[in-house]
């Protein structure tokens, strides 16, 4: 709930700030159609950090039962992204966004005893395309887009008494492919610096079953990368 409140507050701040700073900077071609126009004039490289609320409750219940402790039901997410307009055809233009992120759990390492360290982490590659709902203002973008995230969740035991190869063999993997809807609010200040907040909703279409190379490992309850995420990004417009 605190994260949602923070996103709403930051979004309102960005919108108000955009109206005050450089509010006279308008698109020089306001007559473009929705298909050909309605795209941001900003190309931005950014780094971001946020939280991903996936369906990890049943998995965490297993961890709690087995070890007496568990991870939080969300993942931290740190990544980098690029966004800019893309001409799909002579009659259609969209805003494209690509990003790569690494996930970490909280706590990052779950120490069971002197030799066992359990971790939950992951990664994704994401892509989406959409439109800028404020196309006439160059210092403020409201981007609505559709796309996908493809990645993997990883759960494993870093046992200090065995080799790294054995540790990797005893790891659980959960690949996912998830279509998504995203909304990003971005403000440009001092001509080149960007601040944005982004929310995503995604639906995991893949099997929720954990995959293992070592069939002797105990079964874990299913996990899904269905859920939502919120993030804050700092970038550079060029």
């Amino acid at each position: 709930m605190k994260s949602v409140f923070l996103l709403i507050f930051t979004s309102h701040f960005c919108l108000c700030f955009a109206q005050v700073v450089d509010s006279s900077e308008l698109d020089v071609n306001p007559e473009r159609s929705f298909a050909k126009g309605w795209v941001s004039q900003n190309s931005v490289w950014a780094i971001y950090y946020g939280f991903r609320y996936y369906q990890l409750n049943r998995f965490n219940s297993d961890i709690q039962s087995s070890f007496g402790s568990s991870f939080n039901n969300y993942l931290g997410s740190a990544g980098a992204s690029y966004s800019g307009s893309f001409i799909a055809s002579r009659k259609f233009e969209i805003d494209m966004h690509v990003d790569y992120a690494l996930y970490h759990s909280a706590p990052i390492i779950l120490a069971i005893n002197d030799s066992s360290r359990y971790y939950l982490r992951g990664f994704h590659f994401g892509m989406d395309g959409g439109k800028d709902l404020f196309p006439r203002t160059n210092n403020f973008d409201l981007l609505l887009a559709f796309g996908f995230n493809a990645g993997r969740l990883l759960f494993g035991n870093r046992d200090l008494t065995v080799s790294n190869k054995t540790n990797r063999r005893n790891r659980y993997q959960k690949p996912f492919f998830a279509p998504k809807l995203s909304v990003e609010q971005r403000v440009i200040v001092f001509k080149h610096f960007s601040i944005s907040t982004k929310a995503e909703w995604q639906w995991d279409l893949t099997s929720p079953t954990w995959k293992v190379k070592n069939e002797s490992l105990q079964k874990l309850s299913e996990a899904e990368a269905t859920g939502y995420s919120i993030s804050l990004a700092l970038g550079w417009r060029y």
Side-chain angles (χ1 to χ4, degrees):
M1 190 66 184
K2 292 182 179 179
S3 300
V4 175
F5 175 78
L6 178 61
L7 177 65
I8 295 173
F9 175 81
T10 308
S11 302
H12 178 71
F13 171 79
C14 288
L15 179 57
C16 294
F17 194 64
Q19 292 172 341
V20 173
V21 178
D22 201 17
S23 60
S24 63
E25 187 179 352
L26 299 178
D27 194 329
V28 296
N29 187 7
E31 303 301 328
R32 293 178 297 181
S33 67
F34 180 80
K36 185 62 178 174
W38 287 63
V39 293
S40 170
Q41 302 304 301
N42 302 312
S43 296
V44 176
W45 287 96
I47 56 174
Y48 68 88
Y49 186 83
F51 299 96
R52 298 189 170 270
Y53 295 84
Y54 292 159
Q55 295 182 6
L56 302 173
N57 294 12
R58 288 175 295 175
F59 160 77
N60 260 327
S61 294
D62 281 1
I63 302 303
Q64 181 69 39
S65 298
S66 298
F67 306 124
S69 185
S70 64
F71 301 100
N72 288 340
N73 288 321
Y74 64 85
L75 294 165
S77 176
S81 67
Y82 169 78
S83 61
S85 60
F86 174 75
I87 301 175
S89 69
R90 293 179 59 185
K91 296 183 178 181
F92 191 71
E93 188 174 3
I94 60 175
D95 273 297
M96 290 294 298
H97 176 274
V98 295
D99 74 282
Y100 181 80
L102 297 174
Y103 304 163
H104 71 82
S105 59
I108 295 177
I109 294 293
L110 198 61
I112 305 304
N113 53 49
D114 291 339
S115 62
S116 291
R117 305 287 188 272
Y118 285 85
Y119 61 85
L120 175 64
R121 58 181 184 235
F123 63 89
H124 83 247
F125 169 78
M127 178 180 293
D128 58 63
K131 291 291 185 177
D132 180 9
L133 303 186
F134 282 75
R136 295 187 62 188
T137 57
N138 288 340
N139 67 310
F140 178 76
D141 300 323
L142 179 58
L143 304 168
L144 177 65
F146 298 91
F148 69 88
N149 287 329
R152 186 166 297 186
L153 299 178
L154 303 169
F155 170 68
N157 175 20
R158 190 176 301 165
D159 190 338
L160 304 182
T161 65
V162 301
S163 66
N164 289 332
K165 183 177 180 180
T166 301
N167 281 328
R168 286 193 297 270
R169 180 171 173 79
N170 292 336
R171 184 172 64 180
Y172 297 78
Q173 303 184 57
K174 166 61 181 80
F176 65 86
F177 177 82
K180 67 178 178 180
L181 168 67
S182 67
V183 179
E184 180 176 4
Q185 300 178 81
R186 180 170 63 202
V187 60
I188 306 296
V189 296
F190 310 120
K191 294 185 178 181
H192 292 290
F193 186 64
S194 75
I195 306 173
S196 65
T197 58
K198 187 174 185 179
E200 290 185 352
W201 294 264
Q202 69 179 48
W203 298 268
D204 186 356
L205 301 182
T206 51
S207 170
T209 303
W210 291 93
K211 300 182 182 300
V212 294
K213 292 183 178 180
N214 184 353
E215 297 298 333
S216 66
L217 294 175
Q218 72 177 74
K219 299 296 183 182
L220 290 178
S221 291
E222 298 173 342
E224 295 182 59
T226 294
Y228 70 95
S229 67
I230 56 174
S231 61
L232 174 67
L234 302 178
W236 183 261
R237 178 181 74 168
Y238 65 93

